[in-house]
Every structure is written in C-alpha cells, then in structure tokens.
Amino acid sequence: MPKIKTDKSGPGSNIRAEREYAKSIGVKSPTRLNKEQLDEAVRQRELELGITREKHSVYDFTAEERKTLEAGLRGKQRAYRMVSGYFHAFAEGDGVLRRDPFDVLPEADIYVPSSLVSKCDMREGDRITGNVAVLFYNKVRVLKSVRYVDGDAMVRSPLRTDFRNLSADKASRRLDIHGNHSMTAIIDRVIALGMGESLVISGMCADNADYFDEAAAAVSKGLCAGFDGVVYGVFGADGRRLLGASYNPETTITGGGEDACAFMREMIKRTAERGENSVVVIRSDETDVRPFLSMARAYGDSSITVIAFTVSDYVADAHITFDGAEINCAETGNSLASYICGMTRARLMSRALGRIERAEPDELLVKFTEYVNERD
C-alpha cells in the first residue's frame, strides 16, 4: 500500500490540519467526517490519485493529479520568493516554469496551473516572473500569481502579436559584431551580414574542426559584446568551455537534443513578438540547423538572425564555403548585400571576391580589403 503523503493524516495527527489537507486533495465535505472517517477518506483519495511520500516534483504527477496542486493553493502553504522562468506547456493546458530552460534535471521547475496560463495568455517560451507558493503537504512549488510576462505587466493579452502574423521584410541593417577573430571580420566586412538573414559557414572537416570551434565561440562572444538584442547559442558538449565567461545557461544549449532546440525556437519567437532582435549561433554536429535557418527574418520592429557552422551546405541568404583550410570565394557571398551596403558597395564586394578565388581566412581579409578599396 502506498505511504500517505504527509504526517497531517493518520493516528495522532491534528484533525484541523488534516481537514485542510483533505480539502486540498479533493476529499468531499471533510468537515462532516469524524477523525476515523477522515483518515480513511484521505487514504482512499491518496490511493485514487497515486499520491505517495516520494512525489516532490511536478513531473512525478499525472495530469489528473496535477489538478490537485492548484487546489492546494487554497490551503496552507509556505510563501516563497519571487522567481522567473521560461514557460513550458503541457498538452493538458497547464505547464511549468523552467528555471534553467535547457537543464536536463528539472527539480527546480515550478508548476503553472491552467487558470494562470489562460489568464495571462502564456505561450511556450514566455519569460514569466511571479510569486511562488510551496504546498505544505508535498513541497511542490506552484506559481501563485504573475507579475510580468516577457518583462511587461501581466494584463497584456490584447497587445500580443502572434509570431505567425509578423510581416517579413528585407534585411537593411548590418549585424553589429565585435572581435578580432578572422571569422568575425569576414562576417562583418566580406559578407556584411544583415540583421534578419541566415548565414551558413560550411565545409567543416577534421582538418578545420578546431578553427570552426574557435570561430563559432568568437562569433558568439563578439555578438554578446556588440549586438543589441538576445544572443542564443547551440553548441556541443564542450560549448561551456569554448564560450567561457560569455556562457549564459538561459540562452545556450550545450549538447542538448531536439526537444531543447524546439523549446529554444519558441523562445526566439517570443523575442520577436515583443519587438526585440535575436541572433542564434549554431555549432553542434547533432543539431538539424534547417528549422533555425527557416526562421531568419527581418520584421518591422525586430529580426531573427541565424549563423550556422556546418559540414554540408544548406539554403541560406549568405554563405562562407570552406574547402579544407581555404575559403572557396566563388561560393561565398551575400544575396542581400545591396540592401545592407548599397548597390555600389555590393558590386565592389562581389568583384573583390571574384578576383581572390581561394584563400585562407587571414589572407582573404588582406586581399579583400585591398581589392574592395581600389580606385578604378
């Protein structure tokens, strides 16, 4: 027989506390029952719900059992400090706040009742700030009230723009990226990548894998230093070491699977909905970059930019194509350069790349700078 969940029930327990607990788990009319009847009613209800002493995480409960967690907010509880997290929805309409959105261990996650989800029009990936209560009988943390949704006051549902209704535009502003690594300079000067574009840096192999790792980390660090918006990242298991002090667990996946990537894409959509720019750098052999590349767009008030380091080439707005240690300049370029740099500059860039043909990154920068600034 399963153990009861709390010491509030059974011989020697306080009947007033037990009635409060009984009410929170759905026992009918607990105040009309004497102590013996109440003990039995609580035991039967716990058996029906599968409640045992071992259940202290929201993920231990079935969908039916989770409904009792919201009811528990009407009973005795311990106050908890205000917290923030990213909303992850369950199929039944409720969900959790993920304190560390890409952490494989969910112990810190907070249950969100379906009533709050509806009231605040929560969507997958929303950043929620609110007050949390800890239910006294099972120690599960439950969101009690909402203060902010994506940084705005709770009452904001009519103001929300659905990602699917955002109208796309052509990129017109250059991506602001800092750093002295050759790849950051190539993206900035040779490609002149626009905010809202997709860039594929292809041709990764055993000979240049170390360079690709360093380049991806340098690009991410350069964006953290200069980009006006949110910088996301998808890296392999050693991503934390590569990124160093710029590593942010709230916006970076290291070694995660498709579930984590799908959740990140929802977070990126919410960033665009609230009118904030975002960029994602991908350097992970296990990640399918195509769903990310298809998201790259410029909008009226925001943009989504995607930079992916890959083995194979994929359809994108801009390309940097490696062949071993060299860049194949004939297959390197930016289809929207004229919108970002103007027609004259775009023609000079194309002509300069056509003259170089093939070069290592540092050599490419020297020659490109010389050719593009030549006067006729």
Side-chain angles (χ1 to χ4, degrees), residues 55-70:
K55 290 189 176 181
H56 296 310
S57 165
V58 62
Y59 298 100
D60 294 332
F61 291 81
T62 66
E64 183 64 27
E65 291 170 3
R66 291 199 303 266
K67 295 178 182 178
T68 67
L69 298 178
E70 181 176 11

Side-chain angles (χ1 to χ4, degrees), residues 311-375:
V311 175
S312 304
D313 202 3
Y314 295 96
V315 176
D317 299 311
H319 294 266
I320 300 174
T321 304
F322 275 78
D323 185 0
E326 293 185 320
I327 295 175
N328 183 346
C329 297
E331 298 179 9
T332 292
N334 180 357
S335 63
L336 297 178
S338 60
Y339 291 95
I340 299 157
C341 305
M343 290 295 295
T344 301
R345 176 72 175 178
R347 282 196 294 266
L348 290 173
M349 291 163 57
S350 179
R351 185 177 68 179
L353 283 172
R355 291 175 63 184
I356 299 170
E357 295 185 357
R358 299 172 67 89
E360 292 187 354
D362 290 331
E363 182 187 6
L364 169 61
L365 287 169
V366 173
K367 290 184 176 180
F368 179 85
T369 302
E370 176 187 348
Y371 295 156
V372 83
N373 292 324
E374 276 185 353
R375 296 185 180 275

Side-chain angles (χ1 to χ4, degrees), residues 122-134:
M122 292 186 197
R123 299 175 188 171
E124 185 96 350
D126 273 337
R127 183 172 180 83
I128 308 297
T129 300
N131 295 312
V132 170
V134 182

